[in-house]
Amino acid sequence: MASILDMAAIEAAARRLEAGELVAFPTETVYGLGADAENPTAVAKIYAAKGRPAGHPVIVHLAPGADLDHWAQDVPPQAHQLIAAFWPGPLTLILKRAPHIPDAVSGGQDTIGLRCPSHPVAQALLTVFKNGKGGLAAPSANKFGHVSPTTAQHVHEEFDSDPDKRVTCILDGGQSEVGIESTILDLSRMATHGPVLLRPGHISAADIEKVISISPRQADAQAPRASGTLEAHYAPRTPVALIAKDEVNETLAKLARAGKRGALIGSSEVSAPVAARMSMPATPEGYAHDLYAALREMDAVNADIILVESPPVGSEWQGVNDRLRRAAFDSAGLLERMVSG
Ligand code: TXA
Ligand code: MG
């Protein structure tokens, strides 16, 4: 593993990517599993390593100052305004794809997802890869549907036991600062639909509205498909249930009476037995930063269920609540069945 700004390791990783191999690298949101976006054979290796169904588009990461017109066409003025305001940073823009860019990166759709990450290791890698003129297709560096990695160790846990050893080069950039995936904004149908928020994140709808003076709409049925928007996603192996703060203690007591082990993510005082617990920061930024590591840690104790005390609602909590809702998808009925014996 390379440490932060180990330029020799970053150069070596860039050469591997240029040769069509995979490299996992840190970003400020989560770790990505990268491949040369203009090499469809290399992009196909990402799908194989993740176990991700074909037809799911991947985000293309660009170096600071990259030529947008190489990747996209019919770029609306709002894209330039948002790029000036938020790049490098955790905002992905969906634009019309330039005709010569292989459709492997967009799952056959006529759009492309672009973002310029702010993490220094990601920036250094993108700057040496193809002399800063290339793009790295990179979804989160985890198995399909699983919790995204926010440390290099998480990436090792995802892939080290694979018999085919598809992911062997992992750059270490410490813990991801933001902790949840980038905000995704669709600008590819600006004329007919306006800006559409496909995935909430650290950059909120209100932040976007301040820059372009239009409030983004929530995703509709015709919006470009995004796997991060599937209902069940970001889930640990142990079922997750979201519950109100004032129900935490009673629920843990009921689980104990039913002979079940409940783990807890939340700050409530509890007197009932708990298999393991983690308190979370009170701010949305702090909560997002710790969220995926907390889910992984609670997953590791092999409880029957992970209870998550519902965080506050409100626009700045939208990204956190979105990921929790997806992690807990389908488990509400399960909790009911567990406590009723
Ligand atoms: O923060 C992030 O965005 C991280 C880091 C590594 O940059 N990446 C990430 O990638 O979350 P992934 O593949 O796990 O999620 C990317 C989301 C997916 O839901 C994908 O379907 C969507 O972006 N996406 C990418 N290109 C798209 C396109 N052309 N149209 C619609 N959705 C697209
Ligand atoms: Mg993902």
Side-chain angles (χ1 to χ4, degrees), residues 44-215:
K45 290 181 185 173
I46 299 178
Y47 289 82
K50 280 182 66 96
R52 192 186 217 194
H56 284 273
V58 288
I59 293 172
V60 176
H61 297 69
L62 304 178
D67 176 15
L68 204 61
D69 295 329
H70 176 72
W71 301 95
Q73 59 182 349
D74 305 333
V75 179
Q78 289 84 1
H80 294 289
Q81 294 166 347
L82 290 166
I83 287 170
F86 297 120
W87 281 14
L91 176 67
T92 298
L93 297 177
I94 308 297
L95 298 168
K96 285 258 180 270
R97 180 164 46 87
H100 64 277
I101 300 299
D103 67 1
V105 293
S106 56
Q109 302 178 71
D110 62 355
T111 53
I112 187 164
L114 297 173
R115 105 173 176 92
C116 175
S118 65
H119 193 291
V121 173
Q123 292 210 349
L125 180 65
L126 285 159
T127 303
V128 294
F129 170 68
K130 290 183 161 180
N131 281 322
K133 297 192 178 0
L136 289 179
S140 50
N142 52 273
K143 291 291 168 69
F144 181 68
H146 195 215
V147 179
S148 299
T150 52
T151 66
Q153 182 56 36
H154 294 163
V155 184
H156 283 285
E157 288 164 15
E158 290 288 325
F159 297 107
D160 279 1
S161 58
D162 283 0
D164 36 38
K165 298 283 172 250
R166 287 189 165 104
V167 181
T168 54
C169 181
I170 301 172
L171 292 173
D172 189 349
Q175 184 161 6
S176 295
E177 193 61 36
V178 174
I180 58 172
E181 301 78 358
S182 59
T183 304
I184 303 181
L185 186 73
D186 178 22
L187 295 177
S188 69
R189 302 172 303 155
M190 203 53 206
T192 49
H193 292 70
V196 181
L197 188 67
L198 298 186
R199 182 173 71 185
H202 178 69
I203 294 173
S204 69
D207 296 332
I208 290 167
E209 185 177 351
K210 270 186 215 132
V211 174
I212 59 173
S213 307
I214 314 173
S215 168

